[in-house]
Amino acid sequence: MALATPTLSNIDDKSKIFFSQSPIHFNLQNELTDSSIQSVTVEVYIWRGFQEADLPPSPSLTFNNIKKISPDDNYITIELHNEIKAFITSSNLNKNNPQWSYNTTNVPTTAGEGVYFHIVYKVDNESVKQLGTYFATTGYRYSFEQKGGLYTGYEDVETFRKYAKSINYDRCTINRTTQVATSQSGTGTNGMITQQSLNPTARNPQTGVKCLIAYVNRLGLWDTFTPFGKFVESIDTKRDEYSSSFRNPLQVNSQIQHLKQSGTPLGNRKFQINTGLLDENNNYQVREILQSGKIYLVIFNDDVFETIQTGITVDSTIVTVDNTTITVDSDVVTEADLGFYSTYVQIPVSNSSTNFLKKTRLNDKSSISYTLEFEETNNFINNIL
């Protein structure tokens, strides 16, 4: 039987946001805050969806009778980052979280970035108490951010960006204005994550391959980076060879028959993408990409939505947009979408780069650029079950 029914609280302060790639500590004390504390029982509720409506009926985790380490301690510590991270990244409908999918006519579709968690505990024979409700993502703290167990300055995210023509952009931030009754863990209405559509006026053309890099940043939120440099794609292929065997070798015509054969080639696609010339303020974003555990590469074709493309034929009559919304292949195309890329391919990739050498204007003058190396997480020939 649970210790008590959770009394949920609004997540309205930075101290209620945690990043599960880094340790999540809580110190529990008795009412006297002295060393007479002996043990504690802790119940942790972890869930996604609506904060109130989807609260689990029973604890997700229970820690019974945790003892203190030293007789002089006036607290007992619990550490939860592995348990919470497992809930965030757990597979959902054949998808591993967090999820991201580019859209041609709207902001990207995202899901699974974070979860709520609530802690109920009982020290020795004292009454049951509650620490409150929190929100966690797969973000991380830097090495100098240990005190308190959270990143208190997480809103101070550098916002310097370069944008390309014809790409849909968005920006995700953590929302601390939701209320318990309507709050939800995603990017929807009253969501813990605010997803804002961006339409920057300053856009530069991409030469060569047009692409976009999407990645989970240090806050555990989806972010994007636009490269403007050289794009190199290669395929590293491995084959298992074996010799053919014949019942009557004397009848074998070696000009026709393959005396050696190979199994299904295992092609591994790799990408080397230069960032193009950057401002020194972009260093943080390159560093975040190299530290990110989940990345997508979006490669665009050169075709964009045009006025003639948004017409449809009905009984030999062309119906054009003219401020009217139409639906094409389940996408709603409006006049605002004209000029944006209409087709693309999205590729799940992982980092191949292992080193980040920070470049600065003092050391490198104006030649600040990096070559990012990625490897597709699927085989080029699909043979993964």
Side-chain angles (χ1 to χ4, degrees):
M1 183 176 178
L3 293 174
T5 301
T7 302
L8 303 179
S9 56
N10 293 331
I11 302 173
D12 53 7
D13 187 80
K14 291 181 182 180
S15 63
K16 297 183 178 182
I17 308 296
F18 284 84
F19 301 140
S20 65
Q21 294 278 16
S22 297
I24 297 178
H25 290 102
F26 291 94
N27 286 347
L28 305 176
Q29 295 181 296
N30 60 10
E31 293 173 353
L32 297 175
T33 65
D34 64 10
S35 60
S36 66
I37 184 174
Q38 297 300 314
S39 66
V40 63
T41 294
V42 181
E43 295 178 343
V44 184
Y45 294 77
I46 309 175
W47 72 104
R48 59 167 46 92
F50 286 96
Q51 183 177 352
E52 185 174 69
D54 294 319
L55 173 70
S58 58
S60 308
L61 304 167
T62 300
F63 303 92
N64 289 310
N65 296 316
I66 306 173
K67 307 294 185 181
K68 66 179 182 180
I69 296 176
S70 170
D72 296 327
D73 286 348
N74 66 350
Y75 62 91
I76 295 175
T77 298
I78 59 172
E79 201 285 310
L80 299 173
H81 89 279
N82 280 324
E83 290 80 2
I84 292 173
K85 180 184 174 184
F87 271 79
I88 299 175
T89 59
S90 61
S91 295
N92 179 22
L93 298 176
N94 296 322
K95 299 176 182 178
N96 47 17
N97 293 319
Q99 303 164 27
W100 185 92
S101 180
Y102 184 81
N103 285 326
T104 57
T105 60
N106 207 334
V107 294
T109 301
T110 67
E113 295 97 328
V115 294
Y116 299 103
F117 69 99
H118 187 95
I119 298 175
V120 180
Y121 69 100
K122 187 178 188 299
V123 174
D124 298 328
N125 294 320
E126 295 179 353
S127 61
V128 175
K129 297 177 177 61
Q130 304 192 27
L131 284 183
T133 313
Y134 305 90
F135 184 74
T137 71
T138 57
Y140 55 85
R141 303 191 313 275
Y142 292 129
S143 57
F144 53 82
E145 296 168 345
Q146 177 60 31
K147 185 177 179 181
L150 65 155
Y151 180 51
T152 55
Y154 72 79
E155 283 186 320
D156 304 323
V157 178
E158 301 90 336
T159 57
F160 188 87
R161 293 285 196 277
K162 286 186 175 181
Y163 300 100
K165 295 180 178 180
S166 304
I167 297 178
N168 266 323
Y169 289 100
D170 70 320
R171 176 169 170 76
C172 292
T173 55
I174 296 176
N175 180 12
R176 301 196 318 273
T177 65
T178 63
Q179 300 295 312
V180 169
T182 57
S183 178
Q184 62 163 309
S185 59
T187 56
T189 305
N190 300 314
M192 284 302 305
I193 300 171
T194 299
Q195 186 179 26
Q196 177 188 6
S197 177
L198 298 180
N199 189 15
T201 55
R203 293 175 179 257
N204 300 313
Q206 286 178 304
T207 57
V209 176
K210 281 72 173 177
C211 64
L212 180 71
I213 298 169
Y215 65 98
V216 176
N217 64 21
R218 63 188 172 108
L219 305 184
L221 307 180
W222 285 106
D223 206 341
T224 57
F225 175 80
T226 310
F228 288 88
K230 185 178 179 180
F231 184 106
V232 177
E233 178 180 341
S234 62
I235 299 178
D236 183 13
T237 302
K238 297 179 181 179
R239 295 180 176 86
D240 292 327
E241 291 190 345
Y242 57 91
S243 298
S244 300
S245 60
F246 301 92
R247 185 177 181 86
N248 187 354
L250 294 177
Q251 299 297 318
V252 174
N253 185 343
S254 59
Q255 296 183 26
I256 298 176
Q257 302 296 337
H258 289 76
L259 302 185
K260 284 185 178 181
Q261 298 191 57
S262 61
T264 302
L266 299 179
N268 192 11
R269 198 153 46 149
K270 298 183 178 181
F271 304 90
Q272 289 184 323
I273 306 173
N274 188 270
T275 60
L277 292 178
L278 300 177
D279 188 276
E280 194 170 333
N281 292 326
N282 287 120
N283 276 327
Y284 83 93
Q285 201 175 11
V286 175
R287 183 181 61 205
E288 281 191 352
I289 294 172
L290 296 180
Q291 298 296 324
S292 180
K294 199 162 190 182
I295 307 172
Y296 290 103
L297 175 63
V298 182
I299 301 176
F300 301 99
N301 291 329
D302 283 331
D303 49 334
V304 297
F305 289 117
E306 298 176 358
T307 302
I308 190 172
Q309 289 178 305
T310 58
I312 57 177
T313 301
V314 181
D315 296 333
S316 302
T317 302
I318 298 295
V319 181
T320 56
V321 176
D322 295 334
N323 298 319
T324 301
T325 298
I326 64 172
T327 300
V328 179
D329 295 332
S330 299
D331 283 332
V332 176
V333 181
T334 67
E335 192 173 17
D337 300 316
L338 302 182
F340 287 96
Y341 292 123
S342 57
T343 57
Y344 65 94
V345 59
Q346 178 173 318
I347 305 171
V349 296
S350 60
N351 274 310
S352 299
S353 304
T354 58
N355 183 50
F356 173 73
L357 179 61
K358 185 177 181 180
K359 298 183 179 182
T360 64
R361 188 171 299 174
L362 178 63
N363 294 341
D364 302 279
K365 304 300 184 277
S366 61
S367 300
I368 300 178
S369 69
Y370 300 88
T371 297
L372 304 173
E373 297 183 354
F374 302 114
E375 188 172 309
E376 186 175 7
T377 60
N378 304 322
N379 289 335
F380 188 64
I381 294 178
N382 187 358
N383 61 351
I384 299 177
L385 298 179

